[in-house]
Amino acid sequence: MEDKRLIYLDHAATTPARKEVVEAMLPYFTEKFGNPSSVYTFSQKNKAVITDCRDIIADSIHAKGNEIYFTAGGTESDNWALKAVAEAYASKGKHIITTKIEHHAILHTAQYLEKHGYDVTYLDVDENGVVKMDALKQAIRPDTILISVMFANNEIGTIQPIKEIGAIAKEHGIIFHTDAVQAYGQLPIDVDEYNIDMLSASGHKLNGPKGIGFLYIRTGLKLRNFVHGGAQERSRRAGTENVTGIVGFAKAVEIACETMEARTNKEITMREHLMKRITDEIPYVRINGHRKDRLPNNVNVSFQFIEGESLLIMLDMAGICASSGSACTSGSLDPSHVLLAIGLPHEIAHGSLRLTLGEENTMEELDYVVDEIKKIVQRLRDMSPLYEDFIKGMN
Ligand SMILES: *Cc1c(COP(=O)(O)O)cnc(C)c1O
């Protein structure tokens, strides 16, 4: 069989590691394999390398090196943040505030904590996916110990008013955590300016390797150790460091910061082109997420009268990789919790498509994708009894 072209538009699920990232990592698998905890010079050099990487990453969010704790990715960082604060501050209170549109790494951890005696408020969002500040203020209680709100949403791309949320948290003396996995590398982040106390990020969402992430923990937060064992990560998260992952992550961060402005400007141009063509050329569609405050690379659109899953399968046959919600929920028939939270009825939520861009995408690819979507949507609608009834009803 001939190799078909592949167009990858699922960068919110994962991204390819850059060539420079892989090249930076390679020596640490082989000739530079030393365990950073060993005493001899050969290994101590790797300890120094990790310190440098930690500093690069800390700089990227205006934090200090010793506030960065390496983890195995965004999911672990989210678990750690919620569970550690819950445990450490239980004597102050057992109430946590988060939102209905968080990633499952947060939602399922919050549900776990509910089973263990914690009270969780899941804030509603408006029709654009933005957390309502009034609702947040009203939810705060004397026993609230943590507010966890994602920086930007992985499905609909909406960016939250993180600075305002941070200010509210600070005013009430409540710890503020943000899952910045999608925002990191796409938006400038300053933990001091935004009053962020804890922040989760992941390597593979910004052209770094999979299986590496970090949790930023502001100096002064009293948390117990998360993984017990050796003294790595200042004893809070034991285990021999993922040296290759850390080196690759830092390289990816360095490049993401250097290229952020030009890269995201290009993505915004492509995003707007994609949304304009889809809404101009296909009837009965709606764009989901905030029109302006959204990730540079995110397009989320609902097509009436079709199933998103069928659309995905037909796009796949045309060599196009996309998503109908978050990768974690595909396989289940429930519509995305995020789309339901912004008020979409089930049948509209079911017909949704997420296209997330990366810097290797081209306008030419996007035009091909829109042409394919147009054909597929029409074909699926032609097969839909609902669409037939709708058209009959109009005539
Ligand atoms: C991908 C993602 C995660 C999980 O990160 P992993 O590194 O894949 O574990 C968490 N939160 C958000 C918003 C994400 O997009």
Side-chain angles (χ1 to χ4, degrees):
M1 220 173 79
E2 199 191 333
D3 243 7
K4 268 224 317 259
R5 77 189 286 194
L6 183 88
I7 299 180
Y8 185 79
L9 289 176
D10 203 17
H11 292 82
T14 195
T15 59
R18 289 173 195 279
K19 195 163 68 9
E20 300 92 318
V21 166
V22 177
E23 274 165 11
M25 292 169 74
L26 283 175
Y28 293 89
F29 285 106
T30 51
E31 68 261 33
K32 299 182 180 178
F33 64 87
N35 185 326
S37 299
S38 303
V39 290
Y40 32 81
T41 314
F42 170 65
S43 282
Q44 283 300 306
K45 279 185 188 160
N46 283 0
K47 189 178 181 132
V49 165
I50 290 178
T51 303
D52 291 345
C53 291
R54 213 186 288 284
D55 288 341
I56 289 170
I57 288 172
D59 275 352
S60 72
I61 57 169
H62 302 267
K64 297 188 280 293
N66 63 7
E67 296 175 312
I68 301 296
Y69 294 82
F70 289 115
T71 66
T75 301
E76 183 187 321
S77 300
D78 285 345
N79 269 260
W80 183 2
L82 265 60
K83 290 174 184 168
V85 172
E87 191 192 2
Y89 291 82
S91 61
K92 182 191 166 199
K94 290 192 154 190
H95 180 234
I96 293 168
I97 299 173
T98 184
T99 80
K100 287 191 174 157
I101 61 163
E102 298 297 311
H103 189 275
H104 284 129
I106 293 288
L107 289 179
H108 291 167
T109 305
Q111 285 161 15
Y112 165 86
L113 290 171
E114 283 185 289
K115 289 207 190 81
H116 288 80
Y118 291 82
D119 226 3
V120 181
T121 301
Y122 300 91
L123 295 174
D124 284 319
V125 293
D126 69 15
E127 68 277 11
N128 295 317
V130 182
V131 171
K132 300 170 188 161
M133 290 307 110
D134 288 348
L136 170 62
K137 283 180 200 154
Q138 275 162 25
I140 292 172
R141 315 191 314 210
D143 62 339
T144 306
I145 52 173
L146 176 69
I147 296 172
S148 179
V149 175
M150 69 197 322
F151 209 112
N153 185 267
N154 48 303
E155 292 190 40
I156 56 173
T158 299
I159 300 165
Q160 299 298 336
I162 290 298
K163 193 172 174 173
E164 280 176 72
I165 299 170
I168 292 169
K170 186 173 186 179
E171 186 192 326
H172 290 84
I174 299 166
I175 296 167
F176 176 38
H177 166 257
T178 185
D179 173 343
V181 173
Q182 290 293 332
Y184 189 51
Q186 292 207 68
L187 305 171
I189 298 177
D190 183 327
V191 290
D192 286 334
E193 186 188 337
Y194 297 166
N195 284 309
I196 295 166
D197 296 309
M198 304 174 91
L199 178 146
S200 305
S202 176
H204 74 103
K205 302 285 176 82
L206 77 166
N207 301 98
K210 294 176 180 58
I212 183 77
F214 71 80
L215 179 65
Y216 157 76
I217 305 176
R218 184 178 286 284
T219 303
L221 276 193
K222 304 251 178 300
L223 302 179
R224 264 162 260 175
N225 299 339
F226 184 54
V227 176
H228 305 277
Q232 295 93 350
E233 303 303 306
R234 293 162 305 289
S235 296
R236 280 178 160 175
R237 199 271 191 184
T240 300
E241 294 88 342
N242 178 357
V243 182
T244 50
I246 291 169
V247 168
F249 192 9
K251 179 54 85 179
V253 167
E254 205 172 69
I255 300 174
C257 291
E258 281 165 11
T259 61
M260 189 184 296
E261 201 178 323
R263 176 169 43 90
T264 54
N265 280 340
K266 180 188 155 201
E267 283 173 357
I268 289 171
T269 307
M270 294 202 293
R271 176 191 79 190
E272 294 301 310
H273 177 72
L274 197 51
M275 294 206 285
K276 181 164 186 345
R277 272 205 66 194
I278 291 174
T279 49
D280 281 357
E281 298 176 33
I282 306 177
Y284 314 118
V285 299
R286 64 158 274 154
I287 298 287
N288 300 313
H290 199 283
R291 203 56 200 74
K292 190 167 66 32
D293 296 331
R294 76 186 296 134
L295 288 172
N297 76 338
N298 175 289
V299 173
N300 190 307
V301 54
S302 295
F303 300 95
Q304 240 180 301
F305 313 113
I306 68 161
E307 288 289 336
E309 294 298 309
S310 316
L311 177 56
L312 281 192
I313 291 165
M314 291 171 86
L315 284 171
D316 184 30
M317 292 194 294
I320 299 162
C321 307
S323 169
S324 63
S326 76
C328 327
T329 53
S330 32
S332 92
L333 284 174
D334 293 334
S336 138
H337 64 284
V338 177
L339 297 176
L340 295 181
I342 60 170
L344 292 197
H346 277 240
E347 66 275 16
I348 308 280
H350 269 304
S352 300
L353 178 71
R354 180 186 73 182
L355 303 168
T356 42
L357 314 172
E359 66 179 334
E360 78 277 8
N361 291 129
T362 63
M363 276 302 195
E364 190 267 328
E365 283 181 336
L366 299 188
D367 282 326
Y368 167 76
V369 170
V370 177
D371 292 343
E372 287 301 309
I373 293 174
K374 266 169 82 171
K375 281 189 273 185
I376 295 168
V377 167
Q378 192 54 54
R379 216 177 309 154
L380 291 172
R381 283 179 177 167
D382 287 344
M383 297 187 298
S384 153
L386 281 175
Y387 186 62
E388 198 183 351
D389 289 349
F390 172 77
I391 295 296
K392 273 197 197 126
M394 286 207 330
N395 296 331

